[in-house]
Amino acid sequence: MKTLQAQEIAAAVAALCQDVNFRLGDDVRAAYRQARGREASPLCREVYDILEENASIAEDQLLALCQDTGCAVFFLEMGQEIHIEGGSLAEAINQGVRRGYGEGFLRKSMCDPFTRNNTGDNTPAIIHTDIVPGDSLRIVFAPKGGGSENMSRIAMLKPAQGKAAVRDFVVESVSLAGANPCPPTVVGVGIGGNFERAALLSKKALLRRVGEPHPEEAIAAFEADILESINRLGIGAEGFGGTVTSLAVHIELQPCHIASLPVAVNLNCHAHRHGEILL
């Protein structure tokens, strides 16, 4: 049995909140450069230059990549042989968010849904926890901005509609979103499970390195097919028109009920932020 102190978790989360909001992943920046090379529009190529410059300034000066530092979304894999002392796991995460967002001068966006009164510290965090074998705690942090999150969609398709309807729904979702999610986007697609599981799968799909194909060859080919259809829409970087609207399509799927075909779409903006720590 391994023991972790709640304060140790909180300190690690505080540092992670700042690091992820200040530093864009190498995979995203590489995807910018690849997209720029494929982009036919001079204006959109200029957008990629600006995005690269923005990422460099944010990292060098420890500033937020985007003013919308999002809901604090966490995916935890907690070993079943871990014992936490000094407080609850959820409170340790929330304490880390309070400290990280406060000390890092990151925008606090969480508010009451009706009064719109701000909680003042970007809590509560959105926490998803899986219990796994072992004695380690993996914490994945993925801040999610409102502009991209508001473009989320879910559909309960008929099983007979099959892959064609899934592709059409995903492409339609990106088309309807237009410039709102600040493209170039990364498109997370969740297929199967049930209503809420499909939505969670679509968000977890965004945690993969940009452009890393699904391990199953047929699903990887489906991702490429959907991405090609999306990039024919002509929305382009920041909605200025162009060759590249999305950098990648990532699919996660699992078995579903015989009467259902749930599909969810969750978009990430060009500030495609996530990072992790292992305790």
Side-chain angles (χ1 to χ4, degrees):
M1 181 69 70
K2 178 179 177 180
T3 298
L4 286 176
Q5 298 295 321
Q7 288 302 312
E8 176 186 358
I9 297 170
V13 167
L16 184 63
C17 285
Q18 294 182 45
D19 185 66
V20 169
N21 273 297
F22 296 156
R23 296 180 177 87
L24 196 62
D26 291 341
D27 58 329
V28 185
R29 298 185 71 166
Y32 286 171
R33 292 189 286 272
Q34 291 169 7
R36 190 191 189 286
R38 302 194 309 272
E39 182 54 64
S41 163
L43 179 56
C44 288
R45 289 198 297 271
E46 184 178 352
V47 169
Y48 286 108
D49 292 339
I50 293 169
L51 294 179
E52 280 262 37
E53 182 183 14
N54 179 74
S56 296
I57 292 170
E59 183 170 355
D60 291 345
Q61 300 189 22
L62 300 182
L63 298 170
L65 282 156
C66 174
Q67 51 84 22
D68 187 348
T69 51
C71 292
V73 181
F74 290 87
F75 294 91
L76 310 182
E77 291 181 0
M78 182 177 179
Q80 60 191 14
E81 297 173 33
I82 286 180
H83 173 63
I84 296 174
E85 289 185 344
S88 74
L89 176 59
E91 181 49 37
I93 297 292
N94 279 303
Q95 183 179 342
V97 171
R98 291 186 194 101
R99 287 172 52 186
Y101 273 70
E103 294 168 3
F105 301 99
L106 304 173
R107 196 182 81 182
K108 293 82 174 174
S109 299
M110 301 302 284
C111 66
D112 183 278
F114 293 127
T115 67
R116 313 309 291 180
N117 290 330
N118 199 296
T119 65
D121 55 15
N122 218 55
T123 67
I126 311 297
I127 305 172
H128 306 286
T129 306
D130 290 325
I131 306 299
V132 298
D135 63 355
S136 62
L137 175 62
R138 180 177 180 236
I139 301 174
V140 180
F141 173 54
K144 195 65 165 63
S148 61
E149 187 72 355
N150 287 348
M151 299 299 105
S152 304
R153 296 180 79 210
I154 192 164
M156 304 301 289
L157 301 178
K158 296 181 177 68
Q161 291 178 274
K163 275 188 171 182
V166 171
R167 181 186 60 244
D168 290 348
F169 178 71
V170 177
V171 175
E172 178 189 66
S173 298
V174 176
S175 178
L176 290 172
N180 290 322
C182 295
T185 55
V186 177
V187 183
V189 182
I191 305 171
N194 61 0
F195 179 83
E196 75 273 13
R197 186 63 180 173
L200 185 58
L201 286 171
S202 72
K203 187 156 288 184
K204 291 183 80 170
L206 296 172
L207 303 179
R208 199 189 309 167
R209 288 182 63 84
V210 175
E212 179 183 314
H214 193 278
E216 294 182 31
E217 186 175 341
I219 302 304
F222 192 36
E223 291 174 334
D225 177 44
I226 295 173
L227 180 62
E228 183 179 348
S229 296
I230 287 171
N231 284 333
R232 285 199 297 265
L233 292 172
I235 296 168
E238 298 300 337
F240 289 127
T243 310
V244 181
T245 295
S246 295
L247 302 173
V249 172
H250 294 168
I251 293 174
E252 292 295 327
L253 73 167
Q254 68 176 62
C256 59
H257 192 278
I258 56 173
S260 299
L261 178 53
V263 183
V265 176
N266 194 239
L267 305 180
N268 239 357
C269 66
H270 62 78
H272 181 64
R273 301 161 292 186
H274 55 87
E276 66 179 77
I277 50 175
L278 188 66
L279 299 176

